[in-house]
Amino acid sequence: MQLTNRAKKLEKKPMTLAERAYLPAIFQGLSITMRHFFMKKATVRYPEEVRPFSPIFRGLHVLKRDEQGRERCTACGLCAVACPAEAITMVAGERKKGEEGLYREEKYAISYEINMLRCIFCGLCEEACPKAAVYLQADKMAPPRFERDEFIYGKDRLVEPVSPDERSVRGIQLTPEQADTLRGKLQQA
Amino acid sequence: MLELPALGWQSIVIFVVFALSLLIATYCTYAERVIAAFLQDRVGPDRAGPYGLLQPLADAVKMFTKEEFFPGGANKALFVFGPCLAMITALMSSAVIPFGNNMSFGNNAFFLQGIEVNIGMLWIFGVVSLGVYGVMIGGWASNNKFSLLGAVRAASQNISYELAMGMALIAVLMISGTLSLREITLQQSVAGEWHTWNIVKQPLGFIIFLVCAFAETNRTPFDLPECETELVGGYHTEYSSMKLGLYLFSEYVNIFVVSAVMSVLYFGGFNFPFQYEMRDWLVSNHDWTLASAQNLITILGTVGLFLKIFAFIFFFMWVRWTLPRFRYDQLMRLGWTILIPLAVFNILLTGGLILFGVIQ
């Protein structure tokens, strides 16, 4: 019974002698693999050699400091509102006397957490931020971890290190004394 | 009182041959991975040591530290003996391969060969065919019906290809008239010529031997014994840690031995073109003594033989990462209905050619 006229009639030709002998096909295959032996490798040796990111890549978040080393974030919560995945939570606090070197505005984030398991790296937080505090880095991915709680990134891992010299893996939370010495360094420069 | 054999030159050679077979087989595992990677546009192992050269060591550490597992109700002694037998037979057959001509230092002369016997070919065949027992015992001692079936399949494959292999060899033996591998090698060198290698006289025999060698060493496209673990029920399904390692390792020793046998039988062994001319030239033009010139030729010949062996090993791996494996019935049909009749035809052909004096 023919349902459509799209059926294709298969034609089974008898194999030629060369096809039946099997050997020409083997040599053809061998030549193909031998060509691949000398080809350029498609692999990237990952830890030593990082693949270039696309120019529009959005990676791991960073909370920026201003030019005097103070945190820019004022805990306004706009990023959390803008976040479609609801990955950002924060607690706002009031700046005390003597902490002017640490936070730029009177209000600051006591805690600021991003859940990297929920984050979809859309960049809406970056667009929403009025203080230009949160950025998604273009050259860094959120690293893999073994435990779920390690994906909750707090301020210790989000806030930008003070200077390239003092950069650390975990980030730095400045004490008032450290802030003073830093300010001294910055004034000299 | 037990009398230990005197430690002479020849015992050192035996030790070196033994160590070399093991070392080359070890690095075959590395070479396999690198070649596989290159054929697939990858880089391959490069973490352990420079260019990943310590990878075999890392593999060995892994194999040794894995859990020893014995299936319930298995015959423990035989279960351990299976892989040992596979390894022993693979290593034993390397003893008679002539890796070089004789060397002489003063009055000391020795062969670069484990043991020089005039039944070398028979020895290799006898020992290699014992390797089937390693597979059979391993499959039987696993106390697993699927393993036993896998072992039977593997054994029947090995035996059916051994037949064709032996018949292909008979043609070579008809030409050479001797079973000694050293004699066969030396017959393939005539001063002033290089095309006396047996490959010229026995092209068909060589192809049969090559195909059978692939099947004998359980390499792709005949690696059904190995693939059967993927299909659940190969002879080494129940094996773990170093016992499995021995099975896999003995496969590489086998490849080395078979490559060496092919180089010796068909590609002139340690001979290389114009070796006699080179020796005479050194003696007459550069005041070398005959013995030292001969030693140099021997060393070069050994290097040449190893190049031939490595080329064959490379070929084995090249084929492995090119061809898909046969189905079991295809494998049996190729062995019994194509290779064996071809081998018989080759024997008749060789006999005819010898009878009419075309080759001698």
Side-chain angles (χ1 to χ4, degrees), chain B residues 19-312:
Chain B
L20 257 182
S21 318
L22 279 176
L23 188 76
I24 290 175
T26 313
Y27 272 90
C28 275
T29 61
Y30 168 77
E32 173 106 77
R33 295 169 67 172
V34 170
I35 290 168
F38 270 60
L39 292 177
Q40 296 169 349
D41 301 335
R42 296 185 283 114
V43 176
D46 67 341
R47 295 290 119 182
Y51 303 105
L53 279 172
L54 297 181
Q55 191 65 44
L57 199 70
D59 288 342
V61 169
K62 187 189 111 182
M63 286 287 193
F64 274 114
T65 49
K66 277 190 139 185
E67 188 194 351
E68 286 278 329
F69 174 79
F70 291 94
N75 185 330
K76 264 193 192 180
L78 281 184
F79 191 68
V80 175
F81 184 57
C84 296
L85 191 64
M87 193 69 205
I88 291 167
T89 51
L91 275 176
M92 263 164 75
S93 43
S94 68
V96 293
I97 293 164
F99 287 104
N101 214 332
N102 51 330
M103 299 267 278
S104 49
F105 298 108
N107 291 329
N108 293 316
F110 59 95
F111 295 126
L112 291 182
Q113 182 179 13
I115 36 174
E116 158 64 4
V117 281
N118 52 12
I119 53 153
M121 216 45 252
L122 271 187
W123 166 271
I124 285 192
F125 252 75
V127 169
V128 162
S129 58
L130 283 180
V132 176
Y133 284 100
V135 171
M136 272 310 286
I137 288 174
W140 187 79
S142 295
N143 192 26
N144 176 336
K145 291 179 188 67
F146 295 106
S147 286
L148 181 59
L149 285 173
V152 172
R153 281 153 63 99
S156 69
Q157 171 191 330
N158 278 12
I159 289 168
S160 50
Y161 276 84
E162 221 156 82
L163 280 173
M165 198 182 202
M167 288 195 193
L169 270 183
I170 286 175
V172 175
L173 301 181
M174 282 163 75
I175 293 175
S176 62
T178 172
L179 282 167
S180 158
L181 285 168
R182 170 170 297 273
E183 270 298 303
I184 294 174
T185 310
L186 289 174
Q187 281 177 8
Q188 292 180 58
S189 70
V190 176
E193 287 181 50
W194 66 272
H195 53 79
T196 48
W197 291 357
N198 278 341
I199 176 74
V200 183
K201 298 173 185 168
Q202 286 291 327
L204 182 59
F206 171 68
I207 290 169
I208 296 168
F209 190 91
L210 187 69
V211 174
C212 294
F214 274 96
E216 267 296 298
T217 49
N218 302 334
R219 296 285 298 185
T220 320
F222 307 99
D223 61 342
L224 286 142
E226 188 172 308
C227 95
E228 272 166 341
T229 20
E230 292 142 43
L231 308 175
V232 182
Y235 68 93
H236 51 43
T237 308
E238 300 287 351
Y239 279 89
S240 64
S241 74
M242 201 56 209
K243 296 196 292 300
L244 176 68
L246 274 183
Y247 267 132
L248 303 183
F249 192 53
S250 68
E251 179 189 315
Y252 287 100
V253 181
N254 265 330
I255 291 169
F256 169 66
V257 170
V258 161
S259 302
V261 169
M262 275 196 286
S263 314
V264 167
L265 288 181
Y266 291 100
F267 284 85
F270 51 73
N271 296 308
F272 59 94
F274 307 116
Q275 49 179 348
Y276 297 116
E277 285 78 357
M278 188 177 162
R279 187 184 66 190
D280 296 340
W281 178 73
L282 279 175
V283 172
S284 54
N285 293 14
H286 291 269
D287 298 333
W288 286 48
T289 60
L290 190 63
S292 54
Q294 181 59 42
N295 282 352
L296 181 73
I297 297 291
T298 302
I299 290 168
L300 288 178
T302 306
V303 172
L305 175 61
F306 274 101
L307 288 181
K308 287 169 198 171
I309 293 174
F310 291 148
F312 272 116

Side-chain angles (χ1 to χ4, degrees), chain A residues 22-23 25-27 29-31 33-48, chain B residues 34-35 37-44 46-47 51 207 221 314-315 318-319 321-324 326:
Chain A
Y22 201 70
L23 284 173
I26 287 180
F27 290 123
L30 286 175
S31 76
T33 42
M34 193 28 86
R35 239 177 291 144
H36 277 267
F37 191 89
F38 296 107
M39 270 187 190
K40 196 174 164 291
K41 307 291 167 260
T43 318
V44 172
R45 293 169 181 239
Y46 168 60
E48 292 93 34
Chain B
V34 170
I35 290 168
F38 270 60
L39 292 177
Q40 296 169 349
D41 301 335
R42 296 185 283 114
V43 176
D46 67 341
R47 295 290 119 182
Y51 303 105
I207 290 169
F314 177 80
F315 183 70
W318 181 16
V319 168
W321 299 102
T322 303
L323 298 182
F326 280 114

